[in-house]
Amino acid sequence: MALLKRPPPALPFATQSAIFARLAEANPAPETELQFVNPFTLVVAVALSAQATDVGVNRATRDLFARVDTPAKMLELGVEGVTEHIRTIGLFRQKAKNVIALSRILVEDYGGEVPDSRAALMRLPGVGRKTANVVLSCAFGHPAQAVDTHIFRVGNRTRIAPGRDVDEVERAIEDNVPARFQTHAHHWLILHGRYICQARKPRCGVCPIHDLCPYEEKTA
C-alpha cells in the first residue's frame, strides 16, 4: 500500500451519513465472504486468507471445517493433516504450522474458546491486527475495522477515511464514520472496493455513491 504524503481531510459528517445510508439500503446486513461455522473456524479462515482469495480459502476449508470445528480436533489432525487440506493456498506449509500452534494456545490458555480481545487474538500465530479485527467484528459483533487493500483504497479515494497507512485509515473510520454505521462499516467498504470501486477501473457508472464521492478520475 503506497503511502500518501499528506492525506486530505475526511468528508463532512453529513456526507458520511448519506454515503453509509445508501450502502446500508443496498445491503442492510453485510457479511464476510469467508465461510465459517463458529469463532474458531473463522480465526482459521482469516489466518489462511493472507495472500489468498476468499474463494480459494473457502474451497480449501470446506472439507476441513466439516471434519474439524474445535482447536482440540485440529490438534488431533496435526500439521500434516492440515497441510493436505490447504495445499492449494499460498504459503500453505507455514499456515498449517500456524493453525496448529494457535489451536494449541487456545486449548492450553483459553479452554478451547476464542477470546473476544484484540490483544489476546494477536498473541495467536498468524493473527495480526487485521485478522483480529475481522474476528471481533464477524464473530462477536464488535465495531472493529479490519483495513485491507480494498478499504485502504476506498477510504482514500472517497475521503471517507483518508490515511497514509492502514493504521491511519482504521483510525479515520473510527473517528469519522457515524457511530450507527460502525458495526458494518468495514464490510460495506470492503465489498464496495471489491465489486465497485475496483483498483484499475472503478465502476463509477453503477456506483450508488458516485455523486457524493470526490474522486477526480471517475470513469463513465
Side-chain angles (χ1 to χ4, degrees):
M1 301 179 188
L3 293 179
L4 301 179
K5 292 182 179 179
R6 182 182 298 171
L11 294 175
F13 180 83
T15 307
Q16 298 266 11
S17 295
I19 284 174
F20 281 96
R22 291 187 190 179
L23 296 177
E25 182 179 7
N27 188 358
E31 297 179 347
T32 178
E33 295 185 322
L34 285 171
Q35 296 172 0
F36 64 98
V37 297
N38 57 24
F40 170 67
T41 55
L42 177 61
V43 171
V44 174
V46 182
L48 295 177
S49 70
Q51 301 182 44
T53 66
D54 288 357
V55 172
V57 172
N58 290 340
R59 187 182 303 117
T61 58
R62 190 171 295 116
D63 291 339
L64 175 62
F65 293 163
R67 291 181 52 192
V68 178
D69 59 0
T70 69
K73 291 179 181 178
M74 195 68 76
L75 289 177
E76 291 177 2
L77 188 61
V79 172
E80 291 305 316
V82 175
T83 300
E84 289 304 311
H85 282 280
I86 67 169
R87 193 174 290 277
T88 57
I89 299 175
L91 306 176
F92 65 92
R93 294 189 188 281
Q94 182 58 50
K95 289 179 179 179
K97 294 177 182 178
N98 287 341
V99 168
I100 292 301
L102 71 83
S103 297
R104 182 170 291 108
I105 291 174
L106 290 176
V107 168
E108 294 178 352
D109 295 351
Y110 299 99
E113 300 295 324
V114 174
D116 62 346
S117 156
R118 181 184 290 115
L121 288 167
M122 289 178 65
R123 285 188 56 220
L124 304 176
V127 176
R129 186 178 181 89
K130 184 185 79 172
T131 300
N133 282 347
V134 171
V135 175
L136 291 174
S137 173
C138 299
F140 300 109
H142 297 329
Q145 310 304 331
V147 179
D148 67 352
T149 55
H150 296 300
I151 296 179
F152 182 82
R153 178 176 66 253
V154 172
N156 279 292
R157 270 187 184 169
T158 63
R159 284 177 38 206
I160 289 172
R164 290 168 293 183
D165 55 36
V166 294
D167 291 334
E168 283 194 4
V169 170
E170 180 182 335
R171 289 194 295 272
I173 295 173
E174 294 171 346
D175 290 344
N176 297 296
V177 174
R180 67 185 183 277
F181 298 120
Q182 286 279 337
T183 298
H184 295 309
H186 101 268
H187 284 117
W188 282 317
L189 293 176
I190 192 172
L191 293 172
H192 190 69
R194 185 172 290 169
Y195 297 111
I196 304 253
C197 195
Q198 296 172 335
R200 294 185 179 180
K201 189 176 181 181
R203 302 174 63 211
C204 300
V206 297
C207 176
I209 61 170
H210 69 280
D211 58 318
L212 301 173
C213 172
Y215 183 55
E216 295 181 356
E217 300 176 32
K218 292 180 181 175
T219 60

